[in-house]
Amino acid sequence: MTAPWRLLVVSTPVGALGSGGGGGVELTLEGLVAGLIGRGHRLTVLAAEGSRLSRACASARLWTVAGVDQPSWQHQGRDAPVQIPAAGLLPALWRQVQAHQGEFDAVLNLAYDWLPFWLTPLLPTPLFHLVSMGSVATVMDEVIEAVASSDQRRLAFHTRAQAGDFRLPAPPLVVGNGFDLSAYSFQARPAAEPLLGWAGRIAPEKGLEDAAAVAARLGERLLVWGVREDPAYAAAVEASVPPGTIDWRGFLPTQALQAELGRCRLLLNTPKWNEAFGNVVVEAMACGVPVVAYARGGPGELIVPGVTGLLVPADDVEALTLAARGSAALERSACRRWVERHASREAFAERIETWIRDGLRPA
Ligand code: HBI
């Protein structure tokens, strides 16, 4: 049994925890913090002002700092430079880390930003990074690969597909993700009306237009959950299908999301980028909803083809439609079983603890 650690977990500088602005990182942070608390460690979370922790993380200490959000890396070109806005949140977060790092056994960074990776060899307390995206910019590839060159034990990835974007001296440590499965109710039968589901930040890299096209071709309603991050994109998708095809459900807290998601006969997952993990794929399966997805990025490692879902060639809307039409053989109970085995909070926290313990050993 590992001695209890004092751990500092640093959140993303894109949105406060609970706002949905941080995307998948919010769910990852909650699973990681609650899971490590469950293993007896003492957690402090450092996040943007206005952040709030879920009940499961209530025993963690929350430090917040004010500052201007970092521009999201998702919406910048591969050659974009690192930008630090005036009164920036990112520098404020890492000034706080520097001031208090001596009070912790390890620091875990969940931000996909240049500064924390660059600081790794300079911080006396061991700094670990759970990389939250695939490759999105050259300057980020460089700083992530520099950490890998100096001590790759400091890096963990969600999936092999994601890690494959980076040049690493050794095979990557892949830790998946972890969810509070008690928050998701298994629904053995879908709603009487054949409902398709889609969930994620509503932005171009998530490919909502393809899911909408499938729903239109099948004449079925598509329920869409997620932060409307790019309103113009959302409007263009809406205009691309007959009125009534899309039912915009908004960004819902987990309890409400899972109750609605579980009524779907399928979740469509249509990433246009190298999705690092695919939280929504696991959330759907936790409710018993099989997933039909593009064979691209993380979701390709979460779906057991023919059992918990189907994988089709990326961007092939015709194949996605055929797969969505003929998916009766998929087993809703197998979806829940897979998640309980691979993506529970407890299993994830054990993988994180092993990662940190190995990384704390002298090189
Ligand atoms: N952009 N600059 C920056 N920093 C992050 O931590 C970050 C981001 N874009 C998206 C993001 N994190 C999260 O949505 C990840 O879960 C993808």
Side-chain angles (χ1 to χ4, degrees):
M1 182 57 195
T2 303
W5 293 319
R6 299 159 302 161
L7 299 173
L8 175 60
V9 175
V10 189
S11 182
T12 170
V14 175
L17 289 174
S19 70
V25 157
E26 294 193 30
L27 222 48
T28 303
L29 184 144
E30 184 180 314
L32 182 143
V33 169
L36 289 169
I37 287 170
R39 295 183 67 85
H41 301 294
R42 292 183 26 223
L43 274 285
T44 301
V45 175
L46 174 58
E49 191 174 57
S51 292
R52 58 184 192 284
L53 292 178
S54 68
R55 224 179 10 264
C57 302
S59 67
R61 183 169 50 169
L62 176 61
W63 288 345
T64 60
V65 295
V68 172
D69 275 16
Q70 202 56 26
S72 175
W73 271 115
Q74 257 133 359
H75 309 131
Q76 303 183 52
R78 287 205 54 77
D79 301 325
V82 175
Q83 298 175 48
I84 299 289
L89 172 57
L90 184 65
L93 288 168
W94 287 88
R95 164 69 77 234
Q96 181 88 346
V97 174
Q98 185 203 14
H100 293 274
Q101 49 83 31
E103 302 159 27
F104 299 95
D105 299 296
V107 180
L108 261 66
N109 168 52
L110 297 187
Y112 194 95
D113 282 287
W114 185 86
L115 183 60
F117 286 94
W118 188 78
L119 284 174
T120 308
L122 305 178
L123 206 70
T125 301
L127 172 54
F128 295 80
H129 306 276
L130 177 46
V131 183
S132 66
M133 295 192 269
S135 168
V136 292
T138 306
V139 70
M140 284 305 296
D141 294 355
E142 285 176 354
V143 79
I144 291 168
E145 290 165 4
V147 172
S149 303
S150 72
D151 184 356
Q152 192 176 321
R153 296 177 305 163
R154 299 299 184 83
L155 298 178
F157 300 86
H158 287 296
T159 62
R160 289 184 304 280
Q162 173 205 2
D165 275 2
F166 304 99
R167 287 191 300 269
L168 305 171
L173 177 70
V174 172
V175 294
N177 211 333
F179 301 78
D180 171 10
L181 300 182
S182 69
Y184 299 83
S185 306
F186 172 65
Q187 296 186 38
R189 269 181 306 287
E193 175 195 355
L195 295 173
L196 297 170
W198 187 95
R201 284 178 299 102
I202 295 156
E205 68 270 12
K206 298 286 188 176
L208 174 56
E209 67 275 16
D210 290 3
V214 170
R217 291 178 186 205
L218 295 178
E220 297 179 13
R221 213 152 42 106
L222 180 69
L223 273 59
V224 172
W225 297 274
V227 169
R228 196 173 287 222
E229 192 172 88
D230 184 332
Y233 168 70
V237 173
E238 169 113 89
S240 69
V241 289
T245 303
I246 295 180
D247 181 351
W248 300 96
R249 309 299 301 163
F251 173 73
L252 300 180
T254 300
Q255 203 292 324
L257 165 69
Q258 61 87 36
E260 296 187 6
L261 179 53
R263 302 179 62 242
C264 294
R265 73 176 185 85
L266 276 182
L267 180 88
L268 299 178
N269 189 252
T270 53
K272 293 292 179 182
W273 67 325
N274 188 14
E275 185 75 48
F277 184 73
N279 288 340
V280 296
V281 168
V282 173
E283 292 185 286
M285 294 198 291
C287 302
V289 180
V291 181
V292 172
Y294 285 150
R296 172 183 276 148
E301 295 172 39
L302 309 179
I303 290 167
V304 180
V307 180
T308 61
L310 295 167
L311 294 170
V312 301
D315 307 322
D316 185 338
V317 175
E318 188 51 39
L320 198 64
T321 306
L322 290 176
R325 193 196 308 275
S327 54
L330 299 174
E331 228 189 291
R332 291 176 73 96
S333 53
C335 296
R336 176 73 191 197
R337 273 198 310 276
W338 188 92
V339 170
E340 283 170 355
R341 178 129 176 267
H342 297 280
S344 72
R345 187 171 273 177
E346 295 70 25
F348 181 52
E350 190 174 350
R351 295 191 289 263
I352 298 293
E353 186 181 283
T354 303
W355 168 37
I356 295 171
R357 186 174 54 242
D358 293 348
L360 286 178
R361 288 203 187 95

